[in-house]
Amino acid sequence: MKETDREAVATAVQRVAGMLQRPDQLDKVEQYRRREARKKASVEARLKAAIQSQLDGVRTGLSQLHNALNDVKDIQQSLADVSKDWRQSINTIESLKDVKDAVVQHSQLAAAVENLKNIFSVPEIVRETQDLIEQGALLQAHRKLMDLECSRDGLMYEQYRMDSGNTRDMTLIHGYFGSTQGLSDELAKQLWMVLQRSLVTVRRDPTLLVSVVRIIEREEKIDRRILDRKKQTGFVPPGRPKNWKEKMFTILERTVTTRIEGTQADTRESDKMWLVRHLEIIRKYVLDDLIVAKNLMVQCFPPHYEIFKNLLNMYHQALSTRMQDLASEDLEANEIVSLLTWVLNTYTSAEMMRNVELAPEVDVGTLEPLLSPHVVSELLDTYMSTLTSNIIAWLRKALETDKKDWVKETEPEADQDGYYQTTLPAIVFQMFEQNLQVAAQISEDLKTKVLVLCLQQMNSFLSRYKDEAQLYKEEHLRNRQHPHCYVQYMIAIINNCQTFKESIVSLKRKYLKNEVEEGVSLSQPSMDGILDAIAKEGCSGLLEEVFLDLEQHLNELMTKKWLLGSNAVDIICVTVEDYFNDFAKIKKPYKKGFGEDVDGYCDTIVAVAEVIKLTDPSLLYLEVSTLVSKYPDIRDDHIGALLAVRGDASRDMKQTIMETLEQGPAQASPSYVPLFKDIVVPSLNVAKLLK
């Protein structure tokens, strides 16, 4: 206590020191004293109240403890009295066993009396129930069936309670109510028939479908009640549980499967479009059925049945099974395309599962693929293999058809610009277009694969085209009278090469997003090279044709006949002009000499003509030197032939010119295209002029 007093005094001194730090605060000492006195009185009052409250609580607690002690003593005495009475009544309870047995027997007899009416009326109820089932009054029939089953189950349960091992009486009761199970089965058949036609019934008579669902719900409740009682007593009536709800979904699933499978009306033998028709019928039926289920059937079933969700799953599974079956058949290429287009695109499009009338209940994103990726891959491999064979056959047939046109007696058709052509490029690329459009309906990846395939086969086809064009030329050279329009069709073959090149570029630009893809971009240079080779061979053959026609007349030049007078030059000019008119129908760039300047040939002829028509022999050396400097690849036999044609050059001048040429050719410019190196000079002598 002394320690506490000292702490209190120290605290008080500290508080007073804090209040009286300035002289002017001394005037407020009395005010501070009164305030502290009030605080002290308030604290003392609160302390007294708290102590009083604690004392009252202790007093109340002691009183309650005293009362509890008295109650415990009373309870103890009561328990002792009960124990004494229980010991005295044991003998009395044992003597009441006969009364207990009598009560049980009375209860059984009362139940039997209660059921006598139903027992005696069983045959009549069976007949009435049968009539109601035949009349289609399913709800009333089910009500009577429940009464029969209730009477039977009640009697069997009482017998089970009384003597569960007495199978004889159980069999007797079951036999008496034997018709009940038959009625149940007959009613079930009627229910399943309604469910099988539920999509039609719900439109015509939805109340019938509602009645079926109500009956199933009643049976489900009875099943649950009996199963709960089984846990307590172990007794289960015959035929229970019926599980009609589970059977209902099984019937619906079987109905959906049958409906999908039954849509195939044709076979490949009877109709080439059998699969397209089959798939379209499936699409229409499934869409119509699901719309009816969404709008009408859901109103006939309890929400917890989730009838639309279950039907959607049934249709999806049935479709998946059907597509698997179709995929396992030996399908043709067009049939594979039809199947994959339907499975991968149509099924999830607005024409079917993404239809606005099915939204939002149908979420396409949650549907599993109708065909597994493995099956799709196998179908695509089969399609590509079949397509490869078909394209090869189509290209071979197209070439054979085109070859038949080459021997016609009439000229080939010309395009709008007047260039000769055949139908081969149009036929080939129309076929490619059709296959690419079909592939694009399935996927971008397949479209690219088909494009690569087309270009690969085009490459092989062009090699065959080149060989056939060469054979065409060789056969013509063996008999130049046949075919009659050889020149025109060779021009058409040359023009086809340019058409092929343009069509290939157009095809790749249209169907290939990225032209740098390996295997696609590399095919173009190879095909361009083959096409250029075909065109070059064709142009060479045409030039050869010209010179073969002119050979006789060219040989007449520089002969006695020519000197005496001949129309060989006129014939040559007319023939060249006639060929020129035909050659004008060759497309660019093959109209040129493959990069060579056509005008340059004319300039060369002019330059050679200047040497021949020179009238002053003294200038001959200068003119020949100019010719040699302009055409560095000219040889001495070329100059000798020119001088021989003139016939007025002296021996010394010839020697001088030849010696100048032997000193070495002039340097050619980088852009110079050699011309004279391939020109062969035939022997020319005076004997020829004397012929």
Side-chain angles (χ1 to χ4, degrees):
M1 291 297 292
K2 292 181 179 180
E3 184 64 26
T4 303
D5 292 341
R6 282 196 298 271
E7 290 180 359
V9 170
T11 302
V13 169
Q14 186 177 1
R15 285 175 55 81
V16 170
M19 295 179 184
L20 302 176
Q21 290 182 357
R22 298 189 306 273
D24 59 330
Q25 290 178 328
L26 293 173
D27 296 338
K28 299 181 180 180
V29 170
E30 185 61 26
Q31 182 180 351
Y32 293 153
R33 188 185 65 78
R34 287 196 300 270
R35 186 176 66 186
E36 292 300 323
R38 287 196 298 271
K39 287 183 178 180
K40 179 180 178 183
S42 177
V43 170
E44 289 177 349
R46 288 200 299 273
L47 285 173
K48 289 179 180 179
I51 292 172
Q52 184 64 39
S53 177
Q54 291 292 331
L55 291 174
D56 292 342
V58 170
R59 186 180 295 110
T60 302
L62 289 173
S63 176
Q64 290 176 346
L65 287 173
H66 180 71
N67 293 334
L69 179 60
N70 293 332
D71 291 341
V72 168
K73 291 179 179 179
D74 292 341
I75 292 171
Q76 186 177 9
Q77 183 61 42
S78 298
L79 288 173
D81 295 340
V82 169
S83 178
K84 181 180 178 182
D85 292 340
W86 176 75
R87 290 190 185 94
Q88 294 175 353
S89 63
I90 290 178
N91 296 330
T92 306
I93 293 174
E94 290 294 330
S95 64
L96 293 177
K97 184 177 183 303
D98 295 337
V99 177
K100 178 181 178 182
D101 294 339
V103 170
V104 172
Q105 187 177 10
H106 175 76
S107 175
Q108 293 173 343
L109 292 173
V113 171
E114 182 67 25
N115 289 315
L116 278 177
K117 181 179 179 181
N118 291 334
I119 291 173
F120 290 132
S121 60
V122 164
E124 182 182 355
I125 297 176
V126 168
R127 287 192 299 272
E128 291 177 354
T129 306
Q130 184 68 47
D131 293 341
L132 290 171
I133 292 175
E134 293 175 357
Q135 295 169 11
L138 302 182
L139 278 176
Q140 300 176 34
H142 185 251
R143 173 59 63 186
K144 290 188 174 294
L145 176 64
M146 286 195 300
D147 292 340
L148 288 171
E149 291 179 338
C150 183
S151 299
R152 180 198 64 184
D153 297 346
L155 289 172
M156 295 183 77
Y157 177 63
E158 292 299 332
Q159 177 61 36
Y160 178 84
R161 286 176 54 195
M162 185 172 63
D163 186 3
S164 59
N166 190 345
T167 57
R168 179 177 175 278
D169 290 346
M170 281 288 192
T171 304
L172 182 64
I173 297 173
H174 188 272
Y176 185 75
F177 286 89
S179 301
T180 304
Q181 186 61 45
L183 290 174
S184 178
D185 295 340
E186 184 64 28
L187 179 62
K189 288 181 181 178
Q190 297 299 318
L191 301 183
W192 309 151
M193 289 177 61
V194 173
L195 287 171
Q196 288 170 356
R197 299 192 298 266
S198 57
L199 290 167
V200 178
T201 304
V202 77
R203 294 179 177 134
R204 298 178 180 175
D205 186 9
T207 57
L208 180 58
L209 183 59
V210 172
S211 298
V212 170
V213 176
R214 288 180 61 188
I215 292 171
I216 293 173
E217 269 294 277
R218 289 176 183 172
E219 291 293 339
E220 284 294 302
K221 291 179 181 178
I222 296 173
D223 280 349
R224 288 193 296 269
R225 186 171 68 248
I226 287 175
L227 290 177
D228 290 340
R229 189 172 66 179
K230 177 186 176 183
K231 296 176 182 178
Q232 300 174 359
T233 65
F235 174 74
V236 179
R240 291 289 180 181
K242 291 185 179 181
N243 295 322
W244 277 8
K245 180 180 177 182
E246 180 180 342
K247 292 179 181 178
M248 176 196 74
F249 282 112
T250 302
I251 292 297
L252 288 175
E253 185 174 8
R254 191 182 308 141
T255 302
V256 169
T257 301
T258 303
R259 184 162 175 78
I260 297 299
E261 294 176 349
T263 54
Q264 182 175 345
D266 302 299
T267 61
R268 185 184 294 117
E269 290 73 19
S270 62
D271 187 354
K272 291 293 184 181
M273 301 297 291
W274 70 275
L275 184 58
V276 174
R277 296 181 188 278
H278 181 38
L279 294 174
E280 176 57 19
I281 293 173
I282 289 178
R283 183 199 67 79
K284 187 176 184 304
Y285 279 15
V286 171
L287 179 59
D288 291 346
D289 290 354
L290 290 178
I291 291 175
V292 171
K294 173 179 176 289
N295 296 330
L296 299 178
M297 285 191 68
V298 292
Q299 302 175 18
C300 301
F301 290 80
H304 66 273
Y305 275 52
E306 295 184 315
I307 190 63
F308 181 76
K309 178 182 177 181
N310 281 294
L311 279 174
L312 177 63
N313 292 334
M314 291 175 191
Y315 274 97
H316 182 78
Q317 186 57 47
L319 286 172
S320 180
T321 302
R322 183 56 182 158
M323 296 304 117
Q324 294 279 359
D325 293 341
L326 290 172
S328 64
E329 295 186 15
D330 188 16
L331 297 177
E332 297 178 355
N334 62 312
E335 294 170 349
I336 292 175
V337 169
S338 299
L339 181 64
L340 290 179
T341 302
W342 197 93
V343 168
L344 301 178
N345 300 321
T346 303
Y347 183 64
T348 56
S349 70
E351 297 179 357
M352 201 166 178
M353 289 303 182
R354 213 183 291 271
N355 190 283
V356 292
E357 293 194 57
L358 296 179
E361 281 77 0
V362 177
D363 183 3
V364 175
T366 61
L367 296 175
E368 294 292 328
L370 290 177
L371 291 177
S372 67
H374 175 69
V375 174
V376 172
S377 178
E378 286 186 342
L379 285 174
L380 289 176
D381 290 343
T382 303
Y383 172 73
M384 290 300 294
S385 176
T386 306
L387 182 62
T388 302
S389 302
N390 289 343
I391 288 179
I392 293 174
W394 289 333
L395 289 175
R396 184 179 294 111
K397 183 178 180 181
L399 183 55
E400 292 298 324
T401 302
D402 204 56
K403 283 170 55 181
K404 293 178 181 178
D405 292 340
W406 296 354
V407 296
K408 286 183 177 180
E409 297 295 322
T410 56
E411 294 183 355
E413 296 181 357
D415 64 10
Q416 58 185 3
D417 298 319
Y419 297 117
Y420 285 137
Q421 63 178 6
T422 68
T423 58
L424 182 62
I427 292 174
V428 169
F429 283 93
Q430 182 181 14
M431 177 190 65
F432 287 169
E433 281 272 358
Q434 290 174 351
N435 285 284
L436 285 167
Q437 290 173 4
V438 168
Q441 295 175 4
I442 299 177
S443 67
E444 286 292 322
D445 181 61
L446 181 62
K447 182 187 71 175
T448 303
K449 288 181 179 179
V450 172
L451 178 60
V452 172
L453 172 63
C454 291
L455 294 177
Q456 290 173 344
Q457 295 305 319
M458 185 68 188
N459 217 4
S460 303
F461 167 76
L462 291 178
S463 297
R464 294 196 300 272
Y465 191 52
K466 179 182 178 182
D467 296 338
E468 293 296 339
Q470 182 66 28
L471 288 174
Y472 181 56
K473 171 186 171 183
E474 293 173 358
E475 290 175 0
H476 171 70
L477 291 177
R478 285 195 289 269
N479 180 9
R480 296 188 61 242
Q481 300 302 318
H482 182 78
H484 180 70
C485 297
Y486 166 77
V487 172
Q488 290 80 4
Y489 276 101
M490 184 58 75
I491 292 174
I493 292 173
I494 295 170
N495 288 340
N496 285 349
C497 294
Q498 181 61 22
T499 304
F500 276 128
K501 291 175 72 172
E502 294 171 354
S503 299
I504 291 169
V505 172
S506 175
L507 198 69
K508 292 172 67 176
R509 185 182 299 116
K510 182 176 180 180
Y511 290 100
L512 192 65
K513 292 183 178 179
N514 185 7
E515 289 198 22
V516 299
E517 290 187 26
E518 186 177 358
V520 179
S521 60
L522 296 179
S523 62
Q524 184 68 25
S526 175
M527 286 188 284
D528 284 352
I530 297 175
L531 289 167
D532 287 342
I534 295 172
K536 185 175 181 179
E537 287 292 330
C539 290
S540 175
L542 290 175
L543 291 176
E544 186 177 355
E545 187 76 5
V546 174
F547 285 108
L548 286 174
D549 280 352
L550 296 178
E551 183 177 14
Q552 175 184 352
H553 306 292
L554 289 173
N555 288 334
E556 280 190 22
L557 300 179
M558 307 302 172
T559 64
K560 183 178 180 181
K561 180 180 179 181
W562 178 65
L563 291 174
L564 295 176
S566 169
N567 60 352
V569 174
D570 295 335
I571 293 175
I572 291 172
C573 291
V574 171
T575 302
V576 170
E577 183 178 6
D578 184 52
Y579 274 109
F580 175 81
N581 291 332
D582 285 335
F583 294 168
K585 296 180 180 180
I586 299 177
K587 287 185 178 181
K588 295 180 180 180
Y590 301 129
K591 200 170 184 178
K592 294 184 177 181
F594 294 91
E596 298 172 0
D597 189 356
V598 178
D599 294 336
Y601 294 150
C602 297
D603 295 339
T604 303
I605 294 173
V606 172
V608 172
E610 290 295 329
V611 176
I612 295 176
K613 71 179 183 179
L614 187 66
T615 57
D616 187 356
S618 62
L619 300 177
L620 189 59
Y621 174 77
L622 179 62
E623 196 67 39
V624 172
S625 299
T626 301
L627 181 66
V628 171
S629 63
K630 191 172 183 180
Y631 301 100
D633 64 324
I634 198 169
R635 300 191 303 272
D636 55 355
D637 55 344
H638 297 141
I639 300 300
L642 283 175
L643 296 178
V645 170
R646 286 185 56 85
D648 59 352
S650 65
R651 183 185 299 271
D652 294 337
M653 184 174 291
K654 289 181 181 180
Q655 187 68 27
T656 301
I657 293 173
M658 293 300 181
E659 290 176 354
T660 303
L661 288 175
E662 291 176 356
Q663 292 177 1
Q667 287 294 108
S669 64
S671 60
Y672 176 72
V673 179
L675 177 64
F676 285 89
K677 69 174 185 176
D678 295 326
I679 298 178
V680 179
V681 180
S683 60
L684 185 66
N685 50 43
V686 178
K688 182 178 179 182
L689 296 174
L690 296 177
K691 289 182 180 178

